[in-house]
PDB file of all heavy atoms in Angstrom:
ATOM      1  N   LEU F 231     -38.106 105.290-128.647  1.00 72.00           N
ATOM      2  CA  LEU F 231     -36.920 105.367-127.798  1.00 72.00           C
ATOM      3  C   LEU F 231     -37.152 106.289-126.600  1.00 72.00           C
ATOM      4  O   LEU F 231     -36.722 105.998-125.477  1.00 72.00           O
ATOM      5  CB  LEU F 231     -35.727 105.868-128.618  1.00 72.00           C
ATOM      6  CG  LEU F 231     -35.177 104.900-129.675  1.00 72.00           C
ATOM      7  CD1 LEU F 231     -34.075 105.573-130.484  1.00 72.00           C
ATOM      8  CD2 LEU F 231     -34.655 103.627-129.026  1.00 72.00           C
ATOM      9  N   LYS F 232     -37.850 107.367-126.851  1.00 73.00           N
ATOM     10  CA  LYS F 232     -38.109 108.312-125.768  1.00 73.00           C
ATOM     11  C   LYS F 232     -39.024 107.693-124.709  1.00 73.00           C
ATOM     12  O   LYS F 232     -38.826 107.890-123.505  1.00 73.00           O
ATOM     13  CB  LYS F 232     -38.747 109.586-126.331  1.00 73.00           C
ATOM     14  CG  LYS F 232     -38.888 110.696-125.293  1.00 73.00           C
ATOM     15  CD  LYS F 232     -39.366 111.988-125.928  1.00 73.00           C
ATOM     16  CE  LYS F 232     -39.461 113.090-124.876  1.00 73.00           C
ATOM     17  NZ  LYS F 232     -39.903 114.378-125.443  1.00 73.00           N
ATOM     18  N   SER F 233     -40.040 106.934-125.175  1.00 74.00           N
ATOM     19  CA  SER F 233     -40.964 106.319-124.221  1.00 74.00           C
ATOM     20  C   SER F 233     -40.301 105.205-123.427  1.00 74.00           C
ATOM     21  O   SER F 233     -40.694 104.926-122.294  1.00 74.00           O
ATOM     22  CB  SER F 233     -42.199 105.784-124.965  1.00 74.00           C
ATOM     23  OG  SER F 233     -41.820 104.728-125.844  1.00 74.00           O
ATOM     24  N   TRP F 234     -39.279 104.561-124.000  1.00 76.00           N
ATOM     25  CA  TRP F 234     -38.625 103.443-123.326  1.00 76.00           C
ATOM     26  C   TRP F 234     -37.394 103.864-122.547  1.00 76.00           C
ATOM     27  O   TRP F 234     -36.774 103.036-121.873  1.00 76.00           O
ATOM     28  CB  TRP F 234     -38.252 102.370-124.340  1.00 76.00           C
ATOM     29  CG  TRP F 234     -39.390 101.435-124.594  1.00 76.00           C
ATOM     30  CD1 TRP F 234     -40.419 101.623-125.446  1.00 76.00           C
ATOM     31  CD2 TRP F 234     -39.626 100.186-123.949  1.00 76.00           C
ATOM     32  NE1 TRP F 234     -41.301 100.569-125.393  1.00 76.00           N
ATOM     33  CE2 TRP F 234     -40.822  99.659-124.471  1.00 76.00           C
ATOM     34  CE3 TRP F 234     -38.950  99.442-122.984  1.00 76.00           C
ATOM     35  CZ2 TRP F 234     -41.348  98.446-124.065  1.00 76.00           C
ATOM     36  CZ3 TRP F 234     -39.481  98.233-122.574  1.00 76.00           C
ATOM     37  CH2 TRP F 234     -40.667  97.739-123.113  1.00 76.00           C
ATOM     38  N   THR F 235     -36.986 105.099-122.663  1.00 73.00           N
ATOM     39  CA  THR F 235     -35.816 105.559-121.912  1.00 73.00           C
ATOM     40  C   THR F 235     -36.124 106.737-121.004  1.00 73.00           C
ATOM     41  O   THR F 235     -35.384 107.002-120.063  1.00 73.00           O
ATOM     42  CB  THR F 235     -34.690 105.980-122.877  1.00 73.00           C
ATOM     43  OG1 THR F 235     -35.175 107.023-123.743  1.00 73.00           O
ATOM     44  CG2 THR F 235     -34.232 104.805-123.728  1.00 73.00           C
ATOM     45  N   LYS F 236     -37.227 107.425-121.281  1.00 73.00           N
ATOM     46  CA  LYS F 236     -37.587 108.637-120.541  1.00 73.00           C
ATOM     47  C   LYS F 236     -36.442 109.649-120.551  1.00 73.00           C
ATOM     48  O   LYS F 236     -36.206 110.365-119.570  1.00 73.00           O
ATOM     49  CB  LYS F 236     -37.979 108.310-119.101  1.00 73.00           C
ATOM     50  CG  LYS F 236     -39.350 107.650-118.983  1.00 73.00           C
ATOM     51  CD  LYS F 236     -39.765 107.552-117.543  1.00 73.00           C
ATOM     52  CE  LYS F 236     -41.170 106.964-117.421  1.00 73.00           C
ATOM     53  NZ  LYS F 236     -41.593 106.847-116.001  1.00 73.00           N
ATOM     54  N   ALA F 237     -35.692 109.622-121.641  1.00 70.00           N
ATOM     55  CA  ALA F 237     -34.542 110.523-121.743  1.00 70.00           C
ATOM     56  C   ALA F 237     -35.023 111.950-121.962  1.00 70.00           C
ATOM     57  O   ALA F 237     -35.956 112.207-122.724  1.00 70.00           O
ATOM     58  CB  ALA F 237     -33.624 110.083-122.881  1.00 70.00           C
ATOM     59  N   LYS F 238     -34.376 112.866-121.305  1.00 71.00           N
ATOM     60  CA  LYS F 238     -34.681 114.281-121.466  1.00 71.00           C
ATOM     61  C   LYS F 238     -33.775 114.872-122.541  1.00 71.00           C
ATOM     62  O   LYS F 238     -32.579 114.541-122.620  1.00 71.00           O
ATOM     63  CB  LYS F 238     -34.452 115.025-120.155  1.00 71.00           C
ATOM     64  CG  LYS F 238     -35.479 114.723-119.077  1.00 71.00           C
ATOM     65  CD  LYS F 238     -36.763 115.495-119.315  1.00 71.00           C
ATOM     66  CE  LYS F 238     -37.715 115.325-118.151  1.00 71.00           C
ATOM     67  NZ  LYS F 238     -38.969 116.082-118.352  1.00 71.00           N
ATOM     68  N   ALA F 239     -34.341 115.729-123.353  1.00 71.00           N
ATOM     69  CA  ALA F 239     -33.521 116.427-124.331  1.00 71.00           C
ATOM     70  C   ALA F 239     -32.570 117.374-123.609  1.00 71.00           C
ATOM     71  O   ALA F 239     -32.800 117.779-122.465  1.00 71.00           O
ATOM     72  CB  ALA F 239     -34.396 117.196-125.309  1.00 71.00           C
ATOM     73  N   ILE F 240     -31.475 117.739-124.295  1.00 70.00           N
ATOM     74  CA  ILE F 240     -30.483 118.623-123.681  1.00 70.00           C
ATOM     75  C   ILE F 240     -31.117 119.943-123.242  1.00 70.00           C
ATOM     76  O   ILE F 240     -30.793 120.511-122.194  1.00 70.00           O
ATOM     77  CB  ILE F 240     -29.323 118.884-124.667  1.00 70.00           C
ATOM     78  CG1 ILE F 240     -28.589 117.575-124.951  1.00 70.00           C
ATOM     79  CG2 ILE F 240     -28.358 119.914-124.109  1.00 70.00           C
ATOM     80  CD1 ILE F 240     -27.460 117.709-125.951  1.00 70.00           C
ATOM     81  N   GLU F 242     -33.987 120.339-122.059  1.00 74.00           N
ATOM     82  CA  GLU F 242     -34.865 120.145-120.906  1.00 74.00           C
ATOM     83  C   GLU F 242     -34.115 119.668-119.670  1.00 74.00           C
ATOM     84  O   GLU F 242     -34.725 119.445-118.614  1.00 74.00           O
ATOM     85  CB  GLU F 242     -35.956 119.121-121.263  1.00 74.00           C
ATOM     86  CG  GLU F 242     -36.808 119.534-122.457  1.00 74.00           C
ATOM     87  CD  GLU F 242     -37.774 118.433-122.867  1.00 74.00           C
ATOM     88  OE1 GLU F 242     -37.635 117.310-122.348  1.00 74.00           O
ATOM     89  OE2 GLU F 242     -38.649 118.699-123.703  1.00 74.00           O
ATOM     90  N   GLU F 243     -32.796 119.468-119.758  1.00 72.00           N
ATOM     91  CA  GLU F 243     -32.058 118.910-118.628  1.00 72.00           C
ATOM     92  C   GLU F 243     -32.042 119.850-117.427  1.00 72.00           C
ATOM     93  O   GLU F 243     -31.846 119.409-116.292  1.00 72.00           O
ATOM     94  CB  GLU F 243     -30.616 118.598-119.060  1.00 72.00           C
ATOM     95  CG  GLU F 243     -30.509 117.340-119.917  1.00 72.00           C
ATOM     96  CD  GLU F 243     -29.073 116.978-120.233  1.00 72.00           C
ATOM     97  OE1 GLU F 243     -28.175 117.787-119.929  1.00 72.00           O
ATOM     98  OE2 GLU F 243     -28.843 115.875-120.773  1.00 72.00           O
ATOM     99  N   ILE F 246     -34.133 118.796-114.404  1.00 76.00           N
ATOM    100  CA  ILE F 246     -33.810 117.667-113.528  1.00 76.00           C
ATOM    101  C   ILE F 246     -32.401 117.769-112.943  1.00 76.00           C
ATOM    102  O   ILE F 246     -31.861 116.782-112.430  1.00 76.00           O
ATOM    103  CB  ILE F 246     -33.945 116.341-114.291  1.00 76.00           C
ATOM    104  CG1 ILE F 246     -33.062 116.345-115.546  1.00 76.00           C
ATOM    105  CG2 ILE F 246     -35.390 116.046-114.660  1.00 76.00           C
ATOM    106  CD1 ILE F 246     -33.041 115.004-116.268  1.00 76.00           C
ATOM    107  N   ASN F 260     -32.127 111.716-113.145  1.00 75.00           N
ATOM    108  CA  ASN F 260     -32.829 110.881-114.128  1.00 75.00           C
ATOM    109  C   ASN F 260     -33.540 109.730-113.438  1.00 75.00           C
ATOM    110  O   ASN F 260     -33.046 109.161-112.453  1.00 75.00           O
ATOM    111  CB  ASN F 260     -31.840 110.312-115.144  1.00 75.00           C
ATOM    112  CG  ASN F 260     -31.462 111.322-116.209  1.00 75.00           C
ATOM    113  OD1 ASN F 260     -32.321 112.013-116.740  1.00 75.00           O
ATOM    114  ND2 ASN F 260     -30.170 111.427-116.511  1.00 75.00           N
ATOM    115  N   SER F 261     -34.698 109.374-113.941  1.00 76.00           N
ATOM    116  CA  SER F 261     -35.411 108.203-113.439  1.00 76.00           C
ATOM    117  C   SER F 261     -34.953 106.968-114.214  1.00 76.00           C
ATOM    118  O   SER F 261     -34.402 107.073-115.308  1.00 76.00           O
ATOM    119  CB  SER F 261     -36.922 108.396-113.608  1.00 76.00           C
ATOM    120  OG  SER F 261     -37.231 108.600-114.979  1.00 76.00           O
ATOM    121  N   PRO F 263     -34.940 103.956-116.661  1.00 81.00           N
ATOM    122  CA  PRO F 263     -35.678 103.761-117.916  1.00 81.00           C
ATOM    123  C   PRO F 263     -36.672 102.614-117.794  1.00 81.00           C
ATOM    124  O   PRO F 263     -36.432 101.628-117.093  1.00 81.00           O
ATOM    125  CB  PRO F 263     -34.563 103.427-118.922  1.00 81.00           C
ATOM    126  CG  PRO F 263     -33.420 102.949-118.106  1.00 81.00           C
ATOM    127  CD  PRO F 263     -33.502 103.670-116.807  1.00 81.00           C
ATOM    128  N   PRO F 264     -37.823 102.736-118.441  1.00 83.00           N
ATOM    129  CA  PRO F 264     -38.859 101.694-118.338  1.00 83.00           C
ATOM    130  C   PRO F 264     -38.356 100.303-118.733  1.00 83.00           C
ATOM    131  O   PRO F 264     -38.754  99.313-118.122  1.00 83.00           O
ATOM    132  CB  PRO F 264     -39.952 102.195-119.298  1.00 83.00           C
ATOM    133  CG  PRO F 264     -39.765 103.672-119.323  1.00 83.00           C
ATOM    134  CD  PRO F 264     -38.294 103.900-119.199  1.00 83.00           C
TER     135      PRO F 264
END
Side-chain angles (χ1 to χ4, degrees):
L231 290 175
K232 187 173 182 179
S233 65
W234 274 83
T235 58
K236 286 189 177 179
K238 289 281 187 179
I240 296 178
E242 301 174 350
E243 284 185 351
I246 56 174
N260 281 315
S261 59

